[in-house]
Amino acid sequence: MKRRDLIKYLSVAPIAGAAISTGMPFVAEAAEAATAAPAKAKRNVIKELGLRTFINAAGTYTTMTASLMHDEVIDTINESSKHFVMINEVQDKVGEKIAAMCKAEAAMVTAGCWSALVLGTAGVLTRMDRKKVALLPNISTFEKTEVITQKAHNVGYVHALTNTGIVPVEIETVEELERAITSKTAMMWFLNSSAPMGNIQHAEWVAIAKKHNIPTLIDMAADVPPVENLWKYNELGFDLVCVSGGKAMAGPQSAGILMGKKDLIAAARLSAPPSGGNIGRGMKVNKEEVLGMYVALEKYINQDHDQEWKMWEAQVATITDALKKVNGVTAEVTVPPIANHTPKITVSWDQTKVKATPAAIQKRLQEGSPSIETMGGLDNIDITVFMLKKGEEKIVAKRLQEELSRVAV
């Protein structure tokens, strides 16, 4: 059949019939291809809204939208968005998997680490009493209303706990802790990022709590890496452990994990969505986030962490080598002892040799193309390679060297 005759035939014959009667299965495919609409260009909403994107040389800060999700997480989110499932069943199944990976009795995905703190505290206060669940944050009739914490730990994040109505009780020494424990003590809270500033460390904190049969909760929001921290505090004996999901694990930024004792996780879920009449109803985590968090955690635990560290070291070297070429500039590499435990480059200089303030250089980096975000700005500039994409360390090195060289004398 000639091409001209085929086109004429297709215009009058049913497609299926043509394919069968002519013995040419490609006919239907050809017809479909001929009538298919051209591929629609993907919409770039970030560009459409005129939003500034940047190279993240600062770290996993919420204000900078923390980390970027891996393709496997995005694929999970996209695929799960096409199906209806019962959210409690999702939490059940994912909770079992997370608990097994993190060596806890039970777990749940929360609306970030803050939500994990609120719900964990709520579970301790109410246990399985639904009447108490409905009363929060009005706990005036509760016997236990106080949460003990070290003075160094009593910073802004305590507001997550006070959302439940609890009263924080500050202590500094073991002797003060023993005196502070009364019939009103509901829980003892440990903020991991403040551990170096406190007098009582993890093991002693847990031991004293267990002696008095008081539940313990630890906030370790940004305290991975190392990956072992995901089960370290469960094994140390903390009853509840809270962690952010959108930092090192590169899960959804609005997700977190609450894990720990089975009875306390069950109690915490009474104050969480989809249940109503509670303080956590607004802390929704959709199925896509719950499943995405599970895949992100699984990927993070199973990746080659030694290789990742070597990659960071190589990226650090690229940047520091470039900075050495600018007279008067120093670059010190350190690793924070607990939170954000990754290499950090502190860049400083003699302002008689490099005539610009750190804030001015930081602003130049922000306003350049591509834009680069860093931290510091008062006496120095802090850079991390934690969130850099492959090859971006070269851009950061080049831009830093250029900006500092521009004002060097």
Side-chain angles (χ1 to χ4, degrees), residues 117-135:
L117 291 167
V118 176
L119 298 177
T121 305
V124 168
L125 290 170
T126 67
R127 303 304 169 108
M128 300 303 290
D129 189 334
R130 292 180 182 272
K131 289 182 180 179
K132 286 186 174 181
V133 169
L135 286 172

Side-chain angles (χ1 to χ4, degrees), residues 43-51:
R43 185 177 181 183
N44 188 331
V45 181
I46 289 178
K47 188 174 180 180
E48 182 182 309
L49 295 175
L51 295 170

Side-chain angles (χ1 to χ4, degrees), residues 332-384:
E332 181 186 9
V333 180
T334 58
V335 178
I338 298 182
N340 301 305
H341 190 77
T342 62
K344 179 179 76 169
I345 308 168
T346 299
V347 186
S348 57
W349 54 87
D350 181 344
Q351 290 188 33
T352 65
K353 296 179 180 178
V354 179
K355 294 191 173 295
T357 64
I361 297 296
Q362 192 175 38
K363 190 169 186 289
R364 292 276 300 183
L365 293 171
Q366 288 173 333
E367 294 177 349
S369 181
S371 175
I372 299 172
E373 283 289 344
T374 60
M375 293 299 288
L378 293 176
D379 301 316
N380 50 58
I381 292 176
D382 287 336
I383 295 169
T384 70

